[in-house]
Amino acid sequence: MSGERTVFLIAHTGREAALRSVEGLVHGLLKAGIRIRLLAAEAVDLDLPTGVETVPGGPGAADGCELILVAGGDGTLLRGAELAREHGLPMLGINLGRVGFLAEAERDDLAVVVERVVEADYEVEERMTLDVIVRTNGDVVHHDWALNEASIEKASRERMLEVVTEVDGRPVSNFGCDGVVCATPTGSTAYAFSGGGPVVWPEVEALLMVPISAHALFARPLVTSPDSVLAVEVQPKTPHGVLWCDGRRSVELPAGARVEVRRGQTPVRLARLHRAPFTDRLVAKFALPVTGWRGRADTH
């Protein structure tokens, strides 16, 4: 039937409380006349009414949908970002985990989410992504992408990874380390944050390079132009490493491999329900203490 509206639902189904939240979300949207499509592998864990469309996944899974609705933690939201980027659709995240920086709503906001989706009452913002290339002996052997970060890490616990870092075709430093994280502003509150990198506001266009546990006098986090090309070369006489993109996709890096990271051509689109400043999101997500703040003095 023409004019029918469909959203694609991606859900974390590993916890009982999450299952109940997802089922409530589905019933609310169906009652409002919004069709639901989800992966068949997730549908088997849910008590869903008839009429919910299931698909096996793969290319084109979200064709014809207007929105990717994601209910879960950070890992589920990154999984949703893959589908959102593939189809150019906005992603609306509902946090059923702990931090959920990509999420726009919390578990208690389900009724509001249903109402705003029904009314298509949300704004869409674009987030930078990374294009990632792996070269060995000058040949491209792997091509990937990331929303948060591409991390070059040691593959074994026993020995450090020896690398040389590079920015815009010029060497910066070599050192032994546990890894190097190349991140977007969106990823500055993820793995790069754990490595001591700066928090970068999402509207700032930049690339980050953050060494992890580096044995070097100079191994500071770097913030570069969004047009820069970052590179990390695995030294020839070192154990192999591994490249992780958003902690979801990995490929082995043999000694001598080179990883190049640049701004991605295809952004991820996020649906936003609120205009709250990123500062407020940062304080809320990390439970930062702000007692004693008095605000700017009134000069009128």
Side-chain angles (χ1 to χ4, degrees):
M1 181 185 300
S2 62
E4 287 186 330
R5 300 171 59 198
T6 305
V7 302
F8 197 102
L9 176 64
I10 294 179
H12 176 75
T13 58
R15 292 191 296 269
E16 186 66 24
L19 289 175
R20 302 291 80 79
S21 296
V22 172
E23 289 165 3
L25 188 65
V26 168
H27 283 279
L29 289 169
L30 289 175
K31 185 177 180 180
I34 304 294
R35 298 186 61 181
I36 307 292
R37 185 185 305 168
L38 73 163
L39 296 174
E42 295 177 357
V44 297
D45 296 323
L46 297 165
D47 182 13
L48 298 174
T50 58
V52 173
E53 181 184 2
T54 61
V55 293
D63 284 351
C65 294
E66 66 179 60
L67 179 72
I68 307 292
L69 195 58
V70 183
D74 291 328
T76 311
L77 292 168
L78 287 171
R79 183 156 56 90
E82 294 177 350
L83 197 63
R85 176 180 177 270
E86 176 190 342
H87 292 82
L89 296 174
M91 178 181 77
L92 176 57
I94 304 166
N95 180 35
L96 302 181
R98 292 183 297 169
V99 181
F101 254 97
L102 291 173
E104 186 64 9
E106 300 295 326
R107 189 189 307 270
D108 296 337
D109 301 327
L110 294 182
V112 174
V113 170
V114 170
E115 178 183 345
R116 299 288 285 274
V117 170
V118 169
E119 297 176 359
D121 183 14
Y122 51 81
E123 297 181 357
V124 177
E125 68 178 42
E126 293 187 345
R127 292 292 183 90
M128 276 181 60
T129 57
L130 302 175
D131 278 343
V132 186
I133 291 175
V134 179
R135 299 180 187 271
T136 58
N137 300 318
D139 297 327
V140 175
V141 296
H142 183 72
H143 193 181
D144 215 317
W145 75 282
L147 172 60
N148 276 349
E149 76 278 313
S151 60
I152 296 89
E153 304 177 28
K154 64 180 185 180
S156 62
R157 184 178 181 183
E158 293 80 14
R159 296 181 61 184
M160 291 185 299
L161 189 68
E162 299 286 340
V163 301
V164 181
T165 59
E166 171 190 302
V167 176
D168 295 330
R170 303 304 302 162
V172 176
S173 185
N174 65 7
F175 44 73
C177 60
D178 284 353
V180 179
V181 178
C182 300
T184 64
T186 299
S188 72
T189 51
Y191 191 9
F193 178 85
S194 301
V199 174
V200 181
W201 265 234
E203 59 267 26
V204 175
E205 295 190 338
L207 298 177
L208 286 71
M209 179 182 279
V210 181
I212 305 296
S213 301
H215 288 239
L217 291 176
F218 182 84
R220 307 301 299 170
L222 304 179
V223 180
T224 74
S225 161
D227 298 320
S228 289
V229 178
L230 312 181
V232 178
E233 295 183 351
V234 179
Q235 295 281 51
K237 296 182 180 180
T238 188
H240 72 275
V242 60
L243 166 69
W244 284 94
C245 289
D246 284 339
R248 290 187 47 77
R249 303 174 302 278
S250 66
V251 63
E252 184 175 306
L253 299 174
R258 174 183 171 89
V259 180
E260 297 174 357
V261 179
R262 51 178 54 81
R263 180 179 189 157
Q265 295 297 311
T266 306
V268 167
R269 306 174 69 215
L270 299 181
R272 291 301 189 197
L273 304 180
H274 315 287
R275 288 178 174 265
F278 179 73
T279 310
D280 292 352
R281 182 182 295 268
L282 188 70
V283 169
K285 295 293 185 180
F286 285 141
L288 301 179
V290 293
T291 302
W293 179 71
R294 299 175 62 187
R296 185 175 58 187
D298 189 356
T299 58
H300 296 302

